[in-house]
Amino acid sequence: METFKIPNNYEDVVRRVRIFFSGCKDKIVIVTSGGTAVNLEKNAVRFLDNFSTGCRGSRSAENFLRSGYHVIFLYRRGSLLPFAREFPSGEEILKFFDTRGDRENVLLHLSKDNKLAQAITEYRRFKDKLLLVDFVTLDDYAYFLYGSCQTVKSVEEKLMIYSAAAVSDFYVPFNKLPEHKISSSQALQLDLEVAPKLLKYLTESWVPHSFVVSFKLETNEKILTEKAESSLKKYGQSVVVANALQTKHCKVVIITSQVNHKIELSPEQQSQGYELEALVVQYLSELHCKFLDLNLK
């Protein structure tokens, strides 16, 4: 952690997590979502990004709430949010609004069967069990994840880490960044280092007794299971969710030390708008319950 820069708002984030956690009596999950950026200057103008829309994370957070969890949603600023992901973007959102004659009040036009109306209703139902914490850089992500884990560590066995964020594999340590904007008058050469594996911190020191779920994405499906099983042996997490890029929205393999379990949407389910994350969260919740029964005896 010493190679990361502590965010200016770190203490405020920890305070918010502490207040949220003080009212939590249920199981709790930290869902990470979206991609992390890596700064190329201390006074950052340029950065490398790790793209992710946050679709899987936001869908999963909704389903954890429906399953009775309190959710700390650690997300990349600007990526999709639970329930708010149903809001249209760009010009489309303007079609839902109108103004009264005095133009001081805005009206929102929704039908009862509209997805947006359903999302708003569900958000109001679950908002007290949802804490949103946003990050931009890898430094932010690392510190906010660490601070959240330390704050809720007293219920370590009840905690699930659902690490769906696309975390940068390479970075420039803060103490090696140039102070000011890199000159554009000559070719740029980058010396990137392998970023510390935060998964290792989670399983070995931050929350070693928690139920840790990581994701493994590959473009070559033939090596996917082998890579996931290798990660499980190396880092000791509870579960690896393995998915190939081409089929990530309809098929995953849940890999544990005991079993490999495939979850796949049928063509009919896909055509009807079923979301894979509902099945994934249901299965992981069952595994977490078994984990709790085993560890709290």
Side-chain angles (χ1 to χ4, degrees):
M1 293 291 289
E2 63 277 1
T3 60
F4 295 122
K5 177 182 180 294
I6 187 167
N8 293 332
N9 62 333
Y10 174 72
E11 292 299 332
D12 180 60
V13 166
V14 170
R15 179 188 61 81
R16 290 174 56 216
V17 173
R18 186 180 300 115
I19 293 171
F20 177 75
F21 175 60
S22 67
C24 174
K25 297 179 181 179
D26 303 318
K27 292 177 294 183
I28 188 167
V29 58
I30 299 175
V31 176
T32 72
S33 183
T36 60
V38 170
N39 289 337
L40 297 182
E41 302 117 344
K42 288 183 179 178
N43 293 288
V45 174
R46 299 182 177 89
F47 59 91
L48 298 177
D49 213 345
N50 209 16
F51 178 75
S52 169
T53 64
C55 181
R56 172 149 288 162
S58 58
R59 288 177 175 180
S60 299
E62 292 173 13
N63 283 286
F64 277 117
L65 288 165
R66 294 174 188 130
S67 298
Y69 282 81
H70 275 66
V71 176
I72 298 173
F73 189 68
L74 181 57
Y75 72 101
R76 169 66 180 270
R77 189 183 307 156
S79 65
L80 294 176
L81 292 172
F83 308 113
R85 67 186 176 91
E86 295 294 351
F87 279 73
S89 60
E91 184 182 355
E92 286 299 310
I93 188 65
L94 300 178
K95 297 177 182 178
F96 286 90
F97 294 95
D98 197 359
T99 57
R100 292 185 184 274
D102 58 11
R103 298 193 177 185
E104 292 182 359
N105 297 300
V106 177
L107 302 177
L108 178 62
H109 298 289
L110 298 173
S111 61
K112 289 184 178 180
D113 60 347
N114 185 279
K115 279 189 174 182
L116 186 51
Q118 296 173 25
I120 293 171
T121 299
E122 278 208 289
Y123 169 72
R124 291 176 65 86
R125 176 186 172 192
F126 291 118
K127 62 184 178 68
D128 292 337
K129 289 189 172 185
L130 174 65
L131 177 67
L132 303 178
V133 177
D134 67 299
F135 65 85
V136 175
T137 68
L138 177 61
D139 305 69
D140 298 339
Y141 176 83
Y143 267 100
F144 294 161
L145 180 58
Y146 167 75
S148 298
C149 287
Q150 294 306 298
T151 304
V152 304
K153 194 170 183 178
S154 61
V155 292
E156 199 169 348
E157 288 82 2
K158 290 185 177 181
L159 172 67
M160 182 192 301
I161 307 291
Y162 186 86
S163 182
V167 183
S168 303
D169 292 313
F170 305 98
Y171 82 132
V172 182
F174 182 75
N175 58 8
K176 295 185 179 181
L177 289 173
E179 186 73 25
H180 299 291
K181 179 184 175 185
I182 299 170
S183 173
S184 58
S185 62
Q186 57 188 12
L188 176 63
Q189 291 185 332
L190 295 177
D191 184 15
L192 299 176
E193 297 185 16
V194 176
K197 293 297 183 183
L198 300 181
L199 187 57
K200 186 178 180 69
Y201 286 105
L202 285 168
T203 59
E204 293 187 0
S205 60
W206 292 356
V207 281
H209 304 297
S210 293
F211 190 81
V212 178
V213 179
S214 71
F215 283 75
K216 173 62 68 172
L217 175 71
E218 295 289 342
T219 56
N220 183 353
E221 194 166 359
K222 294 180 180 178
I223 64 171
L224 180 60
T225 300
E226 178 187 345
K227 289 282 188 178
E229 290 175 345
S230 175
S231 175
L232 197 69
K233 292 176 182 177
K234 186 174 183 179
Y235 298 111
Q237 62 272 55
S238 307
V239 176
V240 177
V241 181
N243 52 153
L245 179 64
Q246 300 83 347
T247 57
K248 66 177 183 177
H249 293 303
C250 62
K251 181 172 63 175
V252 299
V253 181
I254 308 291
I255 296 177
T256 72
S257 57
Q258 287 83 33
V259 66
N260 291 359
H261 177 74
K262 184 168 74 172
I263 298 177
E264 184 172 6
L265 293 178
S266 68
E268 182 180 3
Q269 287 175 316
Q270 293 179 56
S271 66
Q272 293 176 356
Y274 279 76
E275 294 179 349
L276 182 65
E277 289 75 17
L279 301 179
V280 171
V281 168
Q282 179 183 4
Y283 186 75
L284 290 176
S285 298
E286 292 170 359
L287 290 183
H288 191 201
C289 285
K290 293 177 182 177
F291 173 85
L292 284 171
D293 289 343
L294 183 64
N295 287 277
L296 294 180
K297 284 182 179 180

PDB file of all heavy atoms in Angstrom, residues 53-74:
ATOM      1  N   THR A  53     -17.970  -0.945 -18.015  1.00  0.00           N
ATOM      2  CA  THR A  53     -19.194  -0.161 -17.853  1.00  0.00           C
ATOM      3  C   THR A  53     -19.787  -0.300 -16.458  1.00  0.00           C
ATOM      4  O   THR A  53     -20.596   0.517 -16.042  1.00  0.00           O
ATOM      5  CB  THR A  53     -20.254  -0.582 -18.875  1.00  0.00           C
ATOM      6  OG1 THR A  53     -20.633  -1.955 -18.623  1.00  0.00           O
ATOM      7  CG2 THR A  53     -19.730  -0.444 -20.292  1.00  0.00           C
ATOM      8  N   GLY A  54     -19.421  -1.372 -15.750  1.00  0.00           N
ATOM      9  CA  GLY A  54     -20.021  -1.635 -14.440  1.00  0.00           C
ATOM     10  C   GLY A  54     -21.348  -2.351 -14.518  1.00  0.00           C
ATOM     11  O   GLY A  54     -22.090  -2.405 -13.537  1.00  0.00           O
ATOM     12  N   CYS A  55     -21.636  -2.945 -15.668  1.00  0.00           N
ATOM     13  CA  CYS A  55     -22.919  -3.630 -15.854  1.00  0.00           C
ATOM     14  C   CYS A  55     -23.068  -4.801 -14.885  1.00  0.00           C
ATOM     15  O   CYS A  55     -24.071  -4.913 -14.182  1.00  0.00           O
ATOM     16  CB  CYS A  55     -23.041  -4.111 -17.299  1.00  0.00           C
ATOM     17  SG  CYS A  55     -24.600  -4.938 -17.680  1.00  0.00           S
ATOM     18  N   ARG A  56     -22.062  -5.667 -14.818  1.00  0.00           N
ATOM     19  CA  ARG A  56     -22.149  -6.838 -13.942  1.00  0.00           C
ATOM     20  C   ARG A  56     -22.225  -6.434 -12.474  1.00  0.00           C
ATOM     21  O   ARG A  56     -23.004  -6.986 -11.700  1.00  0.00           O
ATOM     22  CB  ARG A  56     -20.964  -7.770 -14.179  1.00  0.00           C
ATOM     23  CG  ARG A  56     -20.860  -8.918 -13.196  1.00  0.00           C
ATOM     24  CD  ARG A  56     -20.255 -10.130 -13.831  1.00  0.00           C
ATOM     25  NE  ARG A  56     -21.178 -10.752 -14.770  1.00  0.00           N
ATOM     26  CZ  ARG A  56     -20.813 -11.608 -15.723  1.00  0.00           C
ATOM     27  NH1 ARG A  56     -19.549 -11.936 -15.872  1.00  0.00           N
ATOM     28  NH2 ARG A  56     -21.711 -12.123 -16.532  1.00  0.00           N
ATOM     29  N   GLY A  57     -21.420  -5.477 -12.078  1.00  0.00           N
ATOM     30  CA  GLY A  57     -21.416  -5.052 -10.689  1.00  0.00           C
ATOM     31  C   GLY A  57     -22.738  -4.449 -10.252  1.00  0.00           C
ATOM     32  O   GLY A  57     -23.251  -4.757  -9.178  1.00  0.00           O
ATOM     33  N   SER A  58     -23.310  -3.577 -11.090  1.00  0.00           N
ATOM     34  CA  SER A  58     -24.565  -2.918 -10.718  1.00  0.00           C
ATOM     35  C   SER A  58     -25.722  -3.907 -10.686  1.00  0.00           C
ATOM     36  O   SER A  58     -26.566  -3.863  -9.777  1.00  0.00           O
ATOM     37  CB  SER A  58     -24.869  -1.770 -11.678  1.00  0.00           C
ATOM     38  OG  SER A  58     -24.961  -2.221 -13.023  1.00  0.00           O
ATOM     39  N   ARG A  59     -25.780  -4.808 -11.651  1.00  0.00           N
ATOM     40  CA  ARG A  59     -26.821  -5.844 -11.636  1.00  0.00           C
ATOM     41  C   ARG A  59     -26.680  -6.726 -10.399  1.00  0.00           C
ATOM     42  O   ARG A  59     -27.679  -7.068  -9.749  1.00  0.00           O
ATOM     43  CB  ARG A  59     -26.715  -6.718 -12.890  1.00  0.00           C
ATOM     44  CG  ARG A  59     -27.156  -6.067 -14.187  1.00  0.00           C
ATOM     45  CD  ARG A  59     -26.926  -7.019 -15.339  1.00  0.00           C
ATOM     46  NE  ARG A  59     -27.437  -6.517 -16.602  1.00  0.00           N
ATOM     47  CZ  ARG A  59     -27.347  -7.179 -17.757  1.00  0.00           C
ATOM     48  NH1 ARG A  59     -26.743  -8.364 -17.797  1.00  0.00           N
ATOM     49  NH2 ARG A  59     -27.842  -6.656 -18.863  1.00  0.00           N
ATOM     50  N   SER A  60     -25.449  -7.089 -10.091  1.00  0.00           N
ATOM     51  CA  SER A  60     -25.216  -7.978  -8.950  1.00  0.00           C
ATOM     52  C   SER A  60     -25.599  -7.305  -7.639  1.00  0.00           C
ATOM     53  O   SER A  60     -26.195  -7.932  -6.757  1.00  0.00           O
ATOM     54  CB  SER A  60     -23.746  -8.404  -8.914  1.00  0.00           C
ATOM     55  OG  SER A  60     -23.391  -9.116 -10.088  1.00  0.00           O
ATOM     56  N   ALA A  61     -25.266  -6.024  -7.498  1.00  0.00           N
ATOM     57  CA  ALA A  61     -25.601  -5.298  -6.270  1.00  0.00           C
ATOM     58  C   ALA A  61     -27.107  -5.310  -6.034  1.00  0.00           C
ATOM     59  O   ALA A  61     -27.572  -5.507  -4.900  1.00  0.00           O
ATOM     60  CB  ALA A  61     -25.086  -3.865  -6.353  1.00  0.00           C
ATOM     61  N   GLU A  62     -27.884  -5.101  -7.089  1.00  0.00           N
ATOM     62  CA  GLU A  62     -29.347  -5.141  -6.962  1.00  0.00           C
ATOM     63  C   GLU A  62     -29.805  -6.496  -6.429  1.00  0.00           C
ATOM     64  O   GLU A  62     -30.669  -6.585  -5.540  1.00  0.00           O
ATOM     65  CB  GLU A  62     -29.996  -4.872  -8.315  1.00  0.00           C
ATOM     66  CG  GLU A  62     -29.802  -3.453  -8.822  1.00  0.00           C
ATOM     67  CD  GLU A  62     -30.320  -3.285 -10.241  1.00  0.00           C
ATOM     68  OE1 GLU A  62     -31.046  -4.183 -10.724  1.00  0.00           O
ATOM     69  OE2 GLU A  62     -30.002  -2.268 -10.884  1.00  0.00           O
ATOM     70  N   ASN A  63     -29.232  -7.561  -6.972  1.00  0.00           N
ATOM     71  CA  ASN A  63     -29.652  -8.900  -6.564  1.00  0.00           C
ATOM     72  C   ASN A  63     -29.185  -9.249  -5.157  1.00  0.00           C
ATOM     73  O   ASN A  63     -29.877  -9.993  -4.440  1.00  0.00           O
ATOM     74  CB  ASN A  63     -29.148  -9.927  -7.584  1.00  0.00           C
ATOM     75  CG  ASN A  63     -29.988  -9.928  -8.847  1.00  0.00           C
ATOM     76  OD1 ASN A  63     -31.108 -10.419  -8.862  1.00  0.00           O
ATOM     77  ND2 ASN A  63     -29.466  -9.354  -9.917  1.00  0.00           N
ATOM     78  N   PHE A  64     -28.048  -8.727  -4.718  1.00  0.00           N
ATOM     79  CA  PHE A  64     -27.635  -8.923  -3.324  1.00  0.00           C
ATOM     80  C   PHE A  64     -28.611  -8.230  -2.375  1.00  0.00           C
ATOM     81  O   PHE A  64     -28.953  -8.766  -1.313  1.00  0.00           O
ATOM     82  CB  PHE A  64     -26.219  -8.398  -3.102  1.00  0.00           C
ATOM     83  CG  PHE A  64     -25.140  -9.369  -3.486  1.00  0.00           C
ATOM     84  CD1 PHE A  64     -24.243  -9.068  -4.503  1.00  0.00           C
ATOM     85  CD2 PHE A  64     -25.015 -10.590  -2.838  1.00  0.00           C
ATOM     86  CE1 PHE A  64     -23.242  -9.962  -4.871  1.00  0.00           C
ATOM     87  CE2 PHE A  64     -24.020 -11.505  -3.194  1.00  0.00           C
ATOM     88  CZ  PHE A  64     -23.132 -11.177  -4.219  1.00  0.00           C
ATOM     89  N   LEU A  65     -29.075  -7.045  -2.737  1.00  0.00           N
ATOM     90  CA  LEU A  65     -30.066  -6.345  -1.916  1.00  0.00           C
ATOM     91  C   LEU A  65     -31.350  -7.160  -1.820  1.00  0.00           C
ATOM     92  O   LEU A  65     -31.938  -7.294  -0.736  1.00  0.00           O
ATOM     93  CB  LEU A  65     -30.348  -4.964  -2.506  1.00  0.00           C
ATOM     94  CG  LEU A  65     -29.224  -3.934  -2.346  1.00  0.00           C
ATOM     95  CD1 LEU A  65     -29.453  -2.741  -3.274  1.00  0.00           C
ATOM     96  CD2 LEU A  65     -29.107  -3.469  -0.908  1.00  0.00           C
ATOM     97  N   ARG A  66     -31.781  -7.720  -2.921  1.00  0.00           N
ATOM     98  CA  ARG A  66     -32.993  -8.545  -2.926  1.00  0.00           C
ATOM     99  C   ARG A  66     -32.804  -9.814  -2.094  1.00  0.00           C
ATOM    100  O   ARG A  66     -33.774 -10.397  -1.613  1.00  0.00           O
ATOM    101  CB  ARG A  66     -33.362  -8.915  -4.361  1.00  0.00           C
ATOM    102  CG  ARG A  66     -33.779  -7.725  -5.221  1.00  0.00           C
ATOM    103  CD  ARG A  66     -33.997  -8.117  -6.665  1.00  0.00           C
ATOM    104  NE  ARG A  66     -34.205  -6.944  -7.511  1.00  0.00           N
ATOM    105  CZ  ARG A  66     -33.554  -6.706  -8.641  1.00  0.00           C
ATOM    106  NH1 ARG A  66     -32.663  -7.576  -9.091  1.00  0.00           N
ATOM    107  NH2 ARG A  66     -33.801  -5.618  -9.337  1.00  0.00           N
ATOM    108  N   SER A  67     -31.544 -10.238  -1.936  1.00  0.00           N
ATOM    109  CA  SER A  67     -31.249 -11.457  -1.181  1.00  0.00           C
ATOM    110  C   SER A  67     -31.003 -11.186   0.298  1.00  0.00           C
ATOM    111  O   SER A  67     -30.606 -12.089   1.037  1.00  0.00           O
ATOM    112  CB  SER A  67     -30.017 -12.167  -1.780  1.00  0.00           C
ATOM    113  OG  SER A  67     -30.269 -12.559  -3.116  1.00  0.00           O
ATOM    114  N   GLY A  68     -31.200  -9.931   0.735  1.00  0.00           N
ATOM    115  CA  GLY A  68     -31.102  -9.630   2.155  1.00  0.00           C
ATOM    116  C   GLY A  68     -29.781  -9.059   2.635  1.00  0.00           C
ATOM    117  O   GLY A  68     -29.584  -8.881   3.839  1.00  0.00           O
ATOM    118  N   TYR A  69     -28.863  -8.768   1.726  1.00  0.00           N
ATOM    119  CA  TYR A  69     -27.563  -8.217   2.102  1.00  0.00           C
ATOM    120  C   TYR A  69     -27.617  -6.695   2.244  1.00  0.00           C
ATOM    121  O   TYR A  69     -28.396  -6.021   1.559  1.00  0.00           O
ATOM    122  CB  TYR A  69     -26.512  -8.538   1.038  1.00  0.00           C
ATOM    123  CG  TYR A  69     -25.973  -9.944   1.061  1.00  0.00           C
ATOM    124  CD1 TYR A  69     -26.681 -10.994   0.479  1.00  0.00           C
ATOM    125  CD2 TYR A  69     -24.740 -10.230   1.644  1.00  0.00           C
ATOM    126  CE1 TYR A  69     -26.187 -12.290   0.480  1.00  0.00           C
ATOM    127  CE2 TYR A  69     -24.231 -11.529   1.648  1.00  0.00           C
ATOM    128  CZ  TYR A  69     -24.959 -12.544   1.074  1.00  0.00           C
ATOM    129  OH  TYR A  69     -24.457 -13.815   1.080  1.00  0.00           O
ATOM    130  N   HIS A  70     -26.767  -6.166   3.122  1.00  0.00           N
ATOM    131  CA  HIS A  70     -26.377  -4.767   3.051  1.00  0.00           C
ATOM    132  C   HIS A  70     -25.244  -4.692   2.020  1.00  0.00           C
ATOM    133  O   HIS A  70     -24.366  -5.558   2.006  1.00  0.00           O
ATOM    134  CB  HIS A  70     -25.879  -4.252   4.403  1.00  0.00           C
ATOM    135  CG  HIS A  70     -26.968  -3.781   5.313  1.00  0.00           C
ATOM    136  ND1 HIS A  70     -27.913  -4.626   5.842  1.00  0.00           N
ATOM    137  CD2 HIS A  70     -27.269  -2.533   5.773  1.00  0.00           C
ATOM    138  CE1 HIS A  70     -28.748  -3.930   6.599  1.00  0.00           C
ATOM    139  NE2 HIS A  70     -28.382  -2.654   6.578  1.00  0.00           N
ATOM    140  N   VAL A  71     -25.256  -3.658   1.189  1.00  0.00           N
ATOM    141  CA  VAL A  71     -24.297  -3.576   0.093  1.00  0.00           C
ATOM    142  C   VAL A  71     -23.496  -2.280   0.154  1.00  0.00           C
ATOM    143  O   VAL A  71     -24.060  -1.178   0.169  1.00  0.00           O
ATOM    144  CB  VAL A  71     -25.012  -3.645  -1.281  1.00  0.00           C
ATOM    145  CG1 VAL A  71     -24.014  -3.459  -2.422  1.00  0.00           C
ATOM    146  CG2 VAL A  71     -25.746  -4.972  -1.433  1.00  0.00           C
ATOM    147  N   ILE A  72     -22.168  -2.415   0.228  1.00  0.00           N
ATOM    148  CA  ILE A  72     -21.267  -1.295  -0.013  1.00  0.00           C
ATOM    149  C   ILE A  72     -20.851  -1.405  -1.468  1.00  0.00           C
ATOM    150  O   ILE A  72     -20.186  -2.367  -1.865  1.00  0.00           O
ATOM    151  CB  ILE A  72     -20.036  -1.348   0.908  1.00  0.00           C
ATOM    152  CG1 ILE A  72     -20.458  -1.238   2.379  1.00  0.00           C
ATOM    153  CG2 ILE A  72     -19.060  -0.226   0.564  1.00  0.00           C
ATOM    154  CD1 ILE A  72     -19.316  -1.451   3.364  1.00  0.00           C
ATOM    155  N   PHE A  73     -21.269  -0.436  -2.277  1.00  0.00           N
ATOM    156  CA  PHE A  73     -21.020  -0.490  -3.714  1.00  0.00           C
ATOM    157  C   PHE A  73     -19.864   0.440  -4.039  1.00  0.00           C
ATOM    158  O   PHE A  73     -20.001   1.656  -4.071  1.00  0.00           O
ATOM    159  CB  PHE A  73     -22.278  -0.093  -4.484  1.00  0.00           C
ATOM    160  CG  PHE A  73     -22.189  -0.330  -5.972  1.00  0.00           C
ATOM    161  CD1 PHE A  73     -22.139  -1.620  -6.470  1.00  0.00           C
ATOM    162  CD2 PHE A  73     -22.175   0.738  -6.858  1.00  0.00           C
ATOM    163  CE1 PHE A  73     -22.057  -1.846  -7.840  1.00  0.00           C
ATOM    164  CE2 PHE A  73     -22.103   0.513  -8.224  1.00  0.00           C
ATOM    165  CZ  PHE A  73     -22.046  -0.772  -8.721  1.00  0.00           C
ATOM    166  N   LEU A  74     -18.689  -0.145  -4.255  1.00  0.00           N
ATOM    167  CA  LEU A  74     -17.465   0.600  -4.551  1.00  0.00           C
ATOM    168  C   LEU A  74     -17.310   0.639  -6.069  1.00  0.00           C
ATOM    169  O   LEU A  74     -16.956  -0.366  -6.689  1.00  0.00           O
ATOM    170  CB  LEU A  74     -16.279  -0.100  -3.881  1.00  0.00           C
ATOM    171  CG  LEU A  74     -14.893   0.519  -4.041  1.00  0.00           C
ATOM    172  CD1 LEU A  74     -14.872   1.962  -3.535  1.00  0.00           C
ATOM    173  CD2 LEU A  74     -13.849  -0.322  -3.304  1.00  0.00           C
TER     174      LEU A  74
END
